[in-house]
Amino acid sequence: MKVGLLLGSFDPIHIGHVNIAACVLNSGLCDKVLFVVAKHNPWKSHEPAPMELRCAMIKASVSGFNGRCEVCDLEKGIEPPTYSYKVIEKIREAYPNDELYLI
């Protein structure tokens, strides 16, 4: 399966994020989009909304995609500082038989 990885803080998720997922899925580039939620964007000075709330907002925003979009909150279990390569390594472990694509 081709899994697209959309990484971000999603604070909040917006129509641009949803449109990106829709374009990737509708074009056939990926079979699934994984929204990978960052614990805290190091380039933003404000404290983000709680990860649980952001994940719930994502789930509500992509509920119409019939399971082709998922939320990944594994970054909350990675010791800081978190870097994209660490997160992608963990995703690779969770999806060993799938092709992963950064979106």
Side-chain angles (χ1 to χ4, degrees), residues 2 16-17 36 45 50 68 102:
K2 295 179 183 178
H17 299 126
V36 184
S45 59
R68 295 181 68 201
L102 283 175

Side-chain angles (χ1 to χ4, degrees), residues 6-49:
L6 188 55
L7 289 78
S9 56
F10 306 106
D11 191 27
I13 187 169
H14 54 71
I15 193 68
H17 299 126
V18 176
N19 280 339
I20 290 169
C23 288
V24 168
L25 293 170
N26 291 337
S27 68
L29 293 173
C30 291
D31 303 306
K32 179 190 301 188
V33 172
L34 196 60
F35 284 78
V36 184
V37 184
K39 191 182 314 185
H40 179 56
N41 183 331
W43 305 112
K44 293 183 180 177
S45 59
H46 72 280
E47 189 67 27

Side-chain angles (χ1 to χ4, degrees), residues 59-77:
K59 287 177 185 175
S61 297
V62 299
S63 62
F65 285 91
N66 299 319
R68 295 181 68 201
C69 290
E70 293 181 13
V71 177
C72 176
D73 64 355
L74 67 82
E75 188 168 322
K76 71 181 178 183

